[in-house]
Coordinates of all heavy atoms in Angstrom, one line a residue:
M1 N -51.0 28.8 19.9 CA -51.3 27.4 19.6 C -51.3 27.3 18.1 O -51.9 28.0 17.4 CB -52.7 27.2 20.1 CG -53.2 25.8 19.9 SD -52.4 24.5 20.8 CE -52.4 25.0 22.5
P2 N -50.5 26.3 17.6 CA -50.4 26.1 16.2 C -51.7 25.7 15.6 O -52.5 25.0 16.3 CB -49.3 25.1 16.0 CG -49.2 24.4 17.3 CD -49.6 25.4 18.3
I3 N -52.0 26.0 14.4 CA -53.2 25.6 13.8 C -53.0 24.2 13.2 O -52.1 23.9 12.6 CB -53.6 26.6 12.6 CG1 -53.8 28.0 13.2 CG2 -54.8 26.1 11.8 CD1 -53.9 29.0 12.1
N4 N -54.0 23.4 13.5 CA -54.0 22.0 12.9 C -54.5 22.1 11.5 O -55.7 22.3 11.3 CB -54.9 21.2 13.8 CG -55.0 19.7 13.3 OD1 -54.7 19.5 12.1 ND2 -55.4 18.9 14.2
L5 N -53.6 22.0 10.6 CA -54.0 22.1 9.2 C -54.8 21.0 8.7 O -55.7 21.2 7.8 CB -52.7 22.2 8.3 CG -51.8 23.4 8.6 CD1 -50.6 23.4 7.7 CD2 -52.6 24.7 8.3
T6 N -54.7 19.9 9.3 CA -55.5 18.7 8.9 C -57.0 19.0 9.2 O -57.9 18.7 8.4 CB -55.1 17.5 9.7 OG1 -53.7 17.3 9.5 CG2 -55.8 16.3 9.2
A7 N -57.3 19.5 10.4 CA -58.6 19.7 10.7 C -59.1 21.2 10.6 O -60.2 21.5 10.8 CB -58.9 19.3 12.2
G8 N -58.1 22.1 10.4 CA -58.4 23.5 10.3 C -58.8 24.1 11.6 O -59.4 25.1 11.7
T9 N -58.3 23.6 12.7 CA -58.5 24.1 14.0 C -57.2 24.2 14.7 O -56.1 24.0 14.1 CB -59.4 23.2 14.8 OG1 -58.8 21.9 14.9 CG2 -60.8 23.1 14.1
T10 N -57.2 24.5 16.0 CA -55.9 24.7 16.7 C -55.4 23.3 17.0 O -56.1 22.3 17.0 CB -56.2 25.4 18.1 OG1 -57.2 24.7 18.8 CG2 -56.5 26.8 17.8
A11 N -54.1 23.3 17.4 CA -53.4 22.0 17.6 C -54.1 21.2 18.7 O -54.6 21.8 19.7 CB -52.0 22.2 18.1
G12 N -54.3 20.0 18.5 CA -54.9 19.2 19.5 C -56.4 19.2 19.5 O -57.1 18.6 20.3
T13 N -57.0 19.9 18.5 CA -58.4 20.0 18.4 C -58.8 19.3 17.1 O -58.8 19.9 16.0 CB -58.9 21.4 18.3 OG1 -58.3 22.1 19.5 CG2 -60.4 21.5 18.4
P14 N -59.2 18.0 17.1 CA -59.5 17.2 15.9 C -60.7 17.6 15.2 O -60.9 17.4 14.0 CB -59.5 15.8 16.4 CG -59.9 15.9 17.8 CD -59.3 17.2 18.3
S15 N -61.7 18.1 15.9 CA -62.9 18.5 15.3 C -63.7 19.5 16.1 O -63.4 19.7 17.3 CB -63.8 17.3 15.0 OG -64.4 16.9 16.2
A16 N -64.7 20.1 15.6 CA -65.5 21.1 16.3 C -66.3 20.4 17.3 O -66.8 21.1 18.3 CB -66.3 21.9 15.3
T17 N -66.6 19.2 17.2 CA -67.5 18.5 18.1 C -66.7 17.8 19.3 O -67.3 17.5 20.3 CB -68.3 17.4 17.4 OG1 -67.4 16.5 16.8 CG2 -69.2 18.0 16.3
E18 N -65.4 17.7 19.1 CA -64.6 17.0 20.2 C -64.0 18.1 21.1 O -63.4 19.1 20.5 CB -63.5 16.2 19.6 CG -62.8 15.3 20.5 CD -61.9 14.3 19.8 OE1 -62.3 13.8 18.7 OE2 -60.8 14.0 20.3
P19 N -64.1 18.0 22.4 CA -63.5 19.1 23.3 C -62.0 19.1 23.2 O -61.4 18.1 22.9 CB -64.0 18.6 24.7 CG -64.3 17.2 24.6 CD -64.7 17.0 23.1
S20 N -61.4 20.3 23.4 CA -60.0 20.4 23.4 C -59.3 19.7 24.5 O -59.9 19.8 25.7 CB -59.6 21.9 23.4 OG -60.1 22.6 22.4
P21 N -58.2 19.1 24.3 CA -57.5 18.4 25.4 C -57.1 19.5 26.5 O -56.8 20.6 26.1 CB -56.3 17.8 24.8 CG -56.6 17.7 23.3 CD -57.5 18.9 23.0
A22 N -57.1 19.1 27.7 CA -56.8 20.0 28.8 C -55.4 20.6 28.7 O -55.1 21.7 29.1 CB -57.0 19.3 30.2
W23 N -54.4 19.8 28.2 CA -53.1 20.3 28.1 C -52.9 21.5 27.3 O -51.9 22.2 27.4 CB -52.1 19.2 27.7 CG -52.4 18.5 26.3 CD1 -53.1 17.4 26.1 CD2 -52.1 19.0 25.0 NE1 -53.2 17.1 24.8 CE2 -52.6 18.1 24.1 CE3 -51.3 20.1 24.6 CZ2 -52.4 18.3 22.7 CZ3 -51.2 20.3 23.2 CH2 -51.7 19.4 22.3
Q24 N -53.8 21.7 26.4 CA -53.7 22.9 25.5 C -53.7 24.2 26.3 O -53.2 25.2 25.9 CB -54.8 23.0 24.5 CG -54.6 22.0 23.4 CD -55.6 22.3 22.3 OE1 -56.6 23.1 22.4 NE2 -55.5 21.6 21.2
D25 N -54.4 24.2 27.5 CA -54.5 25.4 28.3 C -53.1 26.0 28.7 O -53.0 27.2 28.9 CB -55.4 25.2 29.5 CG -56.8 24.9 29.1 OD1 -57.2 25.2 28.0 OD2 -57.5 24.3 29.9
S26 N -52.2 25.1 28.9 CA -50.9 25.6 29.4 C -49.8 25.4 28.3 O -48.6 25.4 28.6 CB -50.5 24.9 30.7 OG -50.6 23.5 30.6
A27 N -50.2 25.1 27.1 CA -49.2 25.0 26.0 C -48.5 26.3 25.7 O -49.2 27.3 25.5 CB -49.9 24.4 24.7
L28 N -47.2 26.3 25.6 CA -46.5 27.5 25.3 C -46.8 28.0 23.9 O -46.7 29.2 23.7 CB -45.0 27.2 25.4 CG -44.4 27.1 26.8 CD1 -42.9 27.0 26.8 CD2 -44.8 28.3 27.7
C29 N -47.1 27.2 23.0 CA -47.3 27.6 21.6 C -48.6 28.4 21.5 O -48.8 29.1 20.5 CB -47.3 26.5 20.6 SG -48.5 25.2 21.0
A30 N -49.4 28.4 22.5 CA -50.6 29.2 22.5 C -50.3 30.7 22.5 O -51.1 31.6 22.2 CB -51.5 28.9 23.7
Q31 N -49.0 31.0 22.9 CA -48.6 32.4 23.0 C -47.8 32.9 21.8 O -47.3 34.0 21.8 CB -47.7 32.5 24.3 CG -48.4 32.1 25.5 CD -47.4 31.9 26.7 OE1 -46.4 32.5 26.7 NE2 -47.8 31.0 27.6
T32 N -47.7 32.0 20.8 CA -47.0 32.4 19.6 C -47.9 32.2 18.4 O -49.0 31.7 18.5 CB -45.7 31.5 19.4 OG1 -46.1 30.2 19.1 CG2 -44.9 31.5 20.6
G33 N -47.3 32.6 17.2 CA -48.1 32.4 16.0 C -47.8 31.0 15.4 O -46.8 30.3 15.8
P34 N -48.6 30.5 14.5 CA -48.5 29.2 13.9 C -47.3 29.1 13.0 O -46.8 28.0 12.7 CB -49.8 29.0 13.2 CG -50.3 30.4 12.9 CD -49.8 31.2 14.0
E35 N -46.7 30.2 12.6 CA -45.6 30.1 11.7 C -44.4 29.4 12.2 O -43.6 28.7 11.4 CB -45.2 31.5 11.2 CG -44.6 32.4 12.3 CD -45.8 33.2 13.0 OE1 -46.9 32.9 12.8 OE2 -45.4 34.0 13.8
F36 N -44.2 29.4 13.5 CA -43.1 28.6 14.1 C -43.3 27.1 14.0 O -42.4 26.3 13.8 CB -42.9 28.9 15.6 CG -42.3 30.2 15.9 CD1 -43.0 31.2 16.7 CD2 -41.1 30.6 15.4 CE1 -42.4 32.4 17.0 CE2 -40.5 31.8 15.7 CZ -41.2 32.7 16.5
F37 N -44.6 26.7 14.1 CA -44.9 25.3 14.2 C -45.2 24.6 12.9 O -45.3 23.4 12.7 CB -46.0 25.1 15.2 CG -45.5 25.4 16.6 CD1 -45.6 26.7 17.0 CD2 -44.8 24.5 17.4 CE1 -45.1 27.1 18.3 CE2 -44.3 24.9 18.6 CZ -44.5 26.2 19.1
F38 N -45.5 25.5 11.9 CA -45.8 25.0 10.6 C -45.0 25.7 9.6 O -45.5 26.5 8.7 CB -47.3 25.1 10.2 CG -48.2 24.3 11.1 CD1 -48.8 24.8 12.2 CD2 -48.3 22.9 10.9 CE1 -49.6 24.1 13.1 CE2 -49.1 22.1 11.7 CZ -49.7 22.7 12.8
P39 N -43.7 25.5 9.6 CA -42.8 26.3 8.7 C -42.9 25.8 7.3 O -43.4 24.7 7.0 CB -41.4 26.0 9.3 CG -41.5 24.6 9.9 CD -42.9 24.6 10.5
A40 N -42.6 26.7 6.4 CA -42.6 26.3 5.0 C -41.7 25.2 4.7 O -40.7 25.0 5.4 CB -42.2 27.5 4.1
P41 N -42.0 24.3 3.7 CA -41.1 23.2 3.4 C -39.7 23.6 3.2 O -39.4 24.6 2.6 CB -41.7 22.7 2.1 CG -43.2 23.1 2.1 CD -43.2 24.4 2.8
G42 N -38.8 22.9 3.9 CA -37.4 23.2 3.8 C -36.9 24.3 4.8 O -35.7 24.5 5.0
S43 N -37.8 24.9 5.5 CA -37.5 25.9 6.5 C -37.1 25.2 7.9 O -37.5 24.1 8.1 CB -38.7 26.9 6.8 OG -39.0 27.5 5.6
S44 N -36.4 26.0 8.7 CA -36.0 25.5 10.0 C -37.1 25.3 11.0 O -38.1 26.1 11.0 CB -35.0 26.5 10.6 OG -34.6 26.0 11.9
T45 N -37.0 24.2 11.7 CA -38.0 24.0 12.8 C -37.3 24.3 14.2 O -37.9 24.0 15.2 CB -38.4 22.5 12.8 OG1 -37.3 21.7 12.9 CG2 -39.2 22.2 11.5
R46 N -36.1 24.9 14.1 CA -35.3 25.1 15.4 C -36.1 25.9 16.4 O -36.1 25.5 17.6 CB -34.0 25.7 15.0 CG -33.0 25.7 16.2 CD -31.7 26.2 15.8 NE -31.8 27.7 15.6 CZ -30.8 28.4 15.1 NH1 -29.7 27.9 14.8 NH2 -31.0 29.7 15.0
E47 N -36.7 27.0 16.0 CA -37.4 27.9 16.9 C -38.5 27.1 17.6 O -38.7 27.2 18.8 CB -37.9 29.1 16.3 CG -36.8 30.1 15.9 CD -36.2 29.8 14.5 OE1 -36.7 28.8 13.8 OE2 -35.4 30.5 14.0
A48 N -39.3 26.4 16.8 CA -40.4 25.6 17.4 C -39.9 24.6 18.4 O -40.5 24.4 19.5 CB -41.2 25.0 16.3
K49 N -38.9 23.9 18.0 CA -38.3 22.9 18.9 C -37.8 23.4 20.2 O -37.9 22.8 21.3 CB -37.2 22.1 18.2 CG -37.8 21.2 17.1 CD -36.7 20.4 16.4 CE -37.3 19.5 15.4 NZ -36.3 18.7 14.6
Q50 N -37.2 24.6 20.1 CA -36.7 25.3 21.3 C -37.8 25.6 22.3 O -37.8 25.4 23.5 CB -35.9 26.5 21.0 CG -34.6 26.3 20.4 CD -33.8 27.5 20.0 OE1 -34.4 28.6 19.8 NE2 -32.5 27.4 19.9
L51 N -38.9 26.1 21.7 CA -40.1 26.4 22.5 C -40.7 25.1 23.1 O -41.0 25.1 24.3 CB -41.1 27.2 21.7 CG -42.3 27.8 22.4 CD1 -41.8 28.8 23.4 CD2 -43.3 28.4 21.5
C52 N -40.8 24.1 22.3 CA -41.3 22.8 22.8 C -40.4 22.3 23.9 O -41.0 21.7 24.9 CB -41.4 21.8 21.7 SG -42.6 22.1 20.4
G53 N -39.1 22.5 23.9 CA -38.3 22.1 24.9 C -38.5 22.7 26.3 O -38.2 22.1 27.3
A54 N -39.2 23.8 26.3 CA -39.5 24.5 27.5 C -41.0 24.3 27.9 O -41.4 24.9 28.9 CB -39.1 26.0 27.4
C55 N -41.7 23.6 27.1 CA -43.2 23.5 27.3 C -43.5 22.4 28.3 O -43.0 21.3 28.2 CB -43.8 23.2 26.0 SG -45.6 23.0 26.1
P56 N -44.3 22.7 29.3 CA -44.7 21.7 30.3 C -45.6 20.6 29.7 O -45.8 19.6 30.4 CB -45.4 22.5 31.4 CG -46.0 23.7 30.6 CD -45.0 24.0 29.6
E57 N -46.1 20.8 28.5 CA -47.1 19.9 28.0 C -46.5 19.1 26.8 O -47.2 18.4 26.0 CB -48.3 20.7 27.4 CG -49.0 21.5 28.5 CD -49.5 20.6 29.7 OE1 -49.6 19.4 29.5 OE2 -49.8 21.2 30.7
R58 N -45.2 19.1 26.8 CA -44.5 18.4 25.6 C -44.9 16.9 25.5 O -45.2 16.5 24.4 CB -43.0 18.5 25.8 CG -42.3 17.9 24.6 CD -40.8 18.1 24.8 NE -40.1 17.5 23.7 CZ -38.8 17.6 23.5 NH1 -38.0 18.3 24.3 NH2 -38.2 17.0 22.4
A59 N -44.9 16.2 26.6 CA -45.2 14.8 26.5 C -46.6 14.5 26.1 O -46.9 13.7 25.2 CB -44.9 14.1 27.8
A60 N -47.6 15.3 26.6 CA -49.0 15.1 26.3 C -49.2 15.5 24.8 O -50.0 14.9 24.1 CB -49.8 16.0 27.2
C61 N -48.5 16.6 24.4 CA -48.6 17.0 23.0 C -48.1 16.0 22.0 O -48.8 15.7 21.0 CB -47.9 18.3 22.8 SG -47.8 19.0 21.2
L62 N -47.0 15.4 22.3 CA -46.4 14.4 21.4 C -47.3 13.1 21.4 O -47.6 12.6 20.3 CB -45.0 14.0 21.9 CG -44.3 12.9 21.0 CD1 -44.3 13.3 19.6 CD2 -42.9 12.7 21.6
A63 N -47.8 12.7 22.6 CA -48.7 11.6 22.6 C -49.9 11.8 21.8 O -50.4 10.9 21.1 CB -49.0 11.3 24.1
Y64 N -50.5 13.0 21.9 CA -51.7 13.4 21.2 C -51.4 13.3 19.7 O -52.2 12.7 18.9 CB -52.1 14.8 21.5 CG -53.4 15.2 20.8 CD1 -54.6 14.9 21.3 CD2 -53.3 15.7 19.5 CE1 -55.8 15.3 20.6 CE2 -54.4 16.0 18.8 CZ -55.6 15.8 19.3 OH -56.8 16.1 18.6
A65 N -50.3 13.9 19.2 CA -50.0 13.9 17.8 C -49.8 12.5 17.3 O -50.2 12.2 16.1 CB -48.7 14.7 17.6
L66 N -49.2 11.6 18.0 CA -49.0 10.2 17.6 C -50.3 9.5 17.6 O -50.6 8.8 16.6 CB -48.0 9.5 18.5 CG -46.5 10.1 18.5 CD1 -45.7 9.4 19.5 CD2 -45.9 9.9 17.1
E67 N -51.1 9.7 18.6 CA -52.4 9.0 18.6 C -53.3 9.4 17.5 O -54.1 8.6 17.0 CB -53.0 9.3 20.0 CG -54.4 8.6 20.2 CD -55.0 9.0 21.5 OE1 -54.2 9.3 22.5 OE2 -56.2 8.9 21.7
H68 N -53.3 10.7 17.2 CA -54.1 11.2 16.1 C -53.5 11.3 14.8 O -54.1 11.9 13.8 CB -54.7 12.6 16.5 CG -55.6 12.5 17.7 ND1 -55.2 12.5 19.0 CD2 -57.0 12.5 17.7 CE1 -56.3 12.4 19.8 NE2 -57.4 12.4 19.0
D69 N -52.3 10.8 14.7 CA -51.6 10.7 13.4 C -51.5 12.1 12.7 O -51.8 12.2 11.5 CB -52.3 9.7 12.5 CG -51.3 9.2 11.3 OD1 -50.1 9.4 11.5 OD2 -51.9 8.8 10.3
E70 N -51.1 13.1 13.5 CA -50.9 14.4 13.0 C -49.7 14.4 12.0 O -48.6 14.0 12.4 CB -50.6 15.4 14.1 CG -51.8 15.6 15.0 CD -53.0 16.4 14.3 OE1 -52.7 16.9 13.2 OE2 -54.1 16.4 14.8
R71 N -49.9 14.8 10.8 CA -48.9 14.7 9.8 C -48.1 15.9 9.5 O -47.0 15.9 8.9 CB -49.5 14.3 8.4 CG -50.2 12.9 8.5 CD -49.2 11.8 8.6 NE -49.8 10.5 8.8 CZ -50.1 9.6 7.8 NH1 -49.8 9.9 6.6 NH2 -50.7 8.5 8.1
F72 N -48.6 17.1 9.9 CA -48.0 18.3 9.6 C -47.5 19.1 10.8 O -48.2 19.1 11.9 CB -48.9 19.2 8.8 CG -49.4 18.5 7.5 CD1 -50.7 18.0 7.5 CD2 -48.6 18.4 6.4 CE1 -51.1 17.3 6.4 CE2 -49.0 17.8 5.3 CZ -50.3 17.2 5.2
G73 N -46.4 19.8 10.7 CA -45.9 20.7 11.8 C -45.1 20.0 12.8 O -44.9 18.8 12.8
V74 N -44.7 20.8 13.8 CA -44.0 20.4 15.0 C -44.9 20.2 16.1 O -45.7 21.0 16.5 CB -42.9 21.4 15.4 CG1 -42.2 21.0 16.6 CG2 -41.9 21.6 14.2
W75 N -44.9 19.0 16.7 CA -45.7 18.6 17.8 C -44.8 18.0 18.9 O -44.0 17.0 18.5 CB -46.8 17.6 17.5 CG -47.9 18.2 16.6 CD1 -47.8 18.5 15.3 CD2 -49.2 18.4 16.9 NE1 -49.0 18.9 14.8 CE2 -49.9 18.9 15.8 CE3 -50.0 18.3 18.1 CZ2 -51.2 19.2 15.8 CZ3 -51.3 18.6 18.1 CH2 -51.9 19.1 17.0
G76 N -44.9 18.4 20.1 CA -44.1 17.7 21.1 C -42.6 17.8 20.9 O -41.8 16.9 21.3
G77 N -42.2 18.8 20.1 CA -40.7 18.9 19.9 C -40.2 18.1 18.7 O -39.0 18.1 18.4
L78 N -41.1 17.4 18.0 CA -40.6 16.6 16.9 C -41.3 17.0 15.6 O -42.4 17.4 15.6 CB -41.0 15.1 17.1 CG -40.4 14.4 18.3 CD1 -40.8 12.9 18.3 CD2 -38.9 14.6 18.4
S79 N -40.5 17.0 14.6 CA -40.9 17.4 13.2 C -41.8 16.2 12.6 O -41.9 15.1 13.2 CB -39.7 17.6 12.3 OG -39.0 16.4 12.1
E80 N -42.3 16.5 11.5 CA -43.1 15.4 10.8 C -42.3 14.2 10.6 O -42.7 13.1 10.8 CB -43.6 16.0 9.5 CG -44.5 17.2 9.6 CD -44.3 18.2 8.4 OE1 -43.8 17.8 7.4 OE2 -44.7 19.4 8.6
R81 N -41.1 14.4 10.1 CA -40.2 13.3 9.8 C -39.8 12.5 11.0 O -39.8 11.3 11.1 CB -38.9 13.8 9.1 CG -38.0 12.7 8.7 CD -36.8 13.2 7.9 NE -37.2 13.8 6.6 CZ -36.5 14.5 5.9 NH1 -35.2 14.7 6.2 NH2 -36.9 15.0 4.7
E82 N -39.5 13.3 12.1 CA -39.1 12.6 13.3 C -40.3 11.8 13.9 O -40.1 10.7 14.5 CB -38.6 13.7 14.3 CG -37.3 14.3 13.9 CD -37.0 15.5 14.7 OE1 -37.9 16.2 15.2 OE2 -35.8 15.9 14.7
R83 N -41.5 12.3 13.8 CA -42.6 11.5 14.3 C -42.9 10.3 13.5 O -43.2 9.2 14.0 CB -43.9 12.4 14.4 CG -43.9 13.5 15.4 CD -45.3 14.1 15.7 NE -45.9 14.5 14.5 CZ -45.7 15.7 13.9 NH1 -44.8 16.6 14.4 NH2 -46.4 16.1 12.8
L84 N -42.7 10.4 12.2 CA -42.8 9.2 11.3 C -41.8 8.2 11.7 O -42.1 7.0 11.8 CB -42.6 9.6 9.9 CG -42.7 8.5 8.9 CD1 -44.1 7.8 8.9 CD2 -42.5 9.1 7.5
Q85 N -40.5 8.6 12.0 CA -39.5 7.6 12.4 C -39.8 7.0 13.7 O -39.6 5.8 13.9 CB -38.2 8.4 12.5 CG -37.6 8.8 11.1 CD -36.4 9.6 11.2 OE1 -36.1 10.2 12.2 NE2 -35.7 9.8 10.1
L86 N -40.4 7.8 14.6 CA -40.7 7.3 15.9 C -41.9 6.2 15.8 O -41.8 5.2 16.4 CB -41.2 8.4 16.9 CG -41.6 8.1 18.3 CD1 -40.4 7.4 19.0 CD2 -42.0 9.3 19.1
R87 N -42.8 6.5 15.0 CA -43.9 5.6 14.7 C -43.4 4.3 14.2 O -43.8 3.2 14.6 CB -44.9 6.2 13.8 CG -46.0 7.0 14.4 CD -47.1 7.2 13.4 NE -47.6 8.6 13.6 CZ -47.2 9.6 12.8 NH1 -46.5 9.5 11.8 NH2 -47.7 10.8 13.1
R88 N -42.5 4.4 13.3 CA -41.9 3.1 12.7 C -41.1 2.3 13.7 O -41.2 1.1 13.6 CB -41.0 3.5 11.5 CG -41.8 4.0 10.3 CD -40.9 4.4 9.1 NE -41.7 4.8 8.0 CZ -41.3 5.5 7.0 NH1 -40.0 6.0 7.0 NH2 -42.0 5.8 6.0
T89 N -40.4 3.0 14.6 CA -39.6 2.2 15.5 C -40.5 1.6 16.6 O -40.1 0.6 17.2 CB -38.5 3.1 16.2 OG1 -39.2 4.2 16.9 CG2 -37.6 3.7 15.2
R90 N -41.7 2.1 16.8 CA -42.6 1.6 17.8 C -43.3 0.4 17.3 O -44.0 -0.3 18.1 CB -43.6 2.7 18.3 CG -42.9 3.7 19.2 CD -43.9 4.7 19.6 NE -43.4 5.6 20.7 CZ -44.1 6.5 21.3 NH1 -45.4 6.6 21.1 NH2 -43.5 7.2 22.2
R91 N -43.4 0.2 16.0 CA -44.1 -1.0 15.4 C -43.4 -2.3 15.6 O -42.3 -2.4 15.7 CB -44.4 -0.7 13.9 CG -45.4 0.4 13.7 CD -45.7 0.5 12.3 NE -46.6 1.7 12.1 CZ -46.7 2.4 11.0 NH1 -46.0 2.0 9.9 NH2 -47.5 3.4 10.9
Ligands
SF4_1 S1 -44.8 20.8 23.0 FE1 -44.6 22.4 21.5 S2 -46.3 22.1 20.0 FE2 -46.7 20.9 21.8 S3 -48.0 22.2 23.1 FE3 -45.9 22.6 23.8 S4 -45.1 24.3 22.6 FE4 -47.0 23.5 21.6

C-alpha cells in the first residue's frame, strides 16, 4: 500500500481518526513498496500503472483520490498530472 505523503499514512487513510476504506484490504499495492507509487520527480510511473491495471480496486481508489484531492503519487492508475487533468475536465 503506498504511503500517503499528505497525511503520512497509507493510501486511502486520511487521518488516524478516520477508518481505512474497505477497498484497501484487497488493493494490489499493499503487496509492494511505496517506491512504485511515489516515484521521484521525472521517474517513470509505468510499473505502478501496470499494477493498477490489474487491481480490482482501481475504480474505488481513483474515486477516493479525486474525492480527497490526493496530490501526490499514482492512484487508480493515474499520475498526479492525469488526475489534475481529469478534475479539470469534470468541472
Ligand atoms: S489502483 Fe493502484 S494505487 Fe489504487 S489500490 Fe490498486 S494498486 Fe493501489
Side-chain angles (χ1 to χ4, degrees):
M1 180 66 54
I3 297 170
N4 178 340
L5 296 178
T6 305
T9 59
T10 56
T13 307
S15 74
T17 57
E18 191 170 322
S20 298
W23 57 264
Q24 283 191 354
D25 293 342
S26 50
L28 286 185
C29 55
Q31 302 166 26
T32 69
E35 62 275 7
F36 285 124
F37 295 89
F38 297 99
S43 298
S44 174
T45 56
R46 191 175 73 189
E47 290 87 359
K49 288 179 176 180
Q50 285 177 339
L51 191 61
C52 292
C55 179
E57 302 300 343
R58 183 176 179 178
C61 175
L62 179 58
Y64 180 92
L66 295 172
E67 181 180 337
H68 290 83
D69 198 22
E70 292 291 348
R71 299 287 173 99
F72 303 102
V74 174
W75 292 71
L78 298 184
S79 67
E80 299 148 18
R81 182 176 298 169
E82 291 165 336
R83 289 195 307 278
L84 178 61
Q85 290 172 343
L86 182 58
R87 272 193 219 99
R88 287 178 177 161
T89 59
R90 287 183 170 184
R91 289 183 185 155

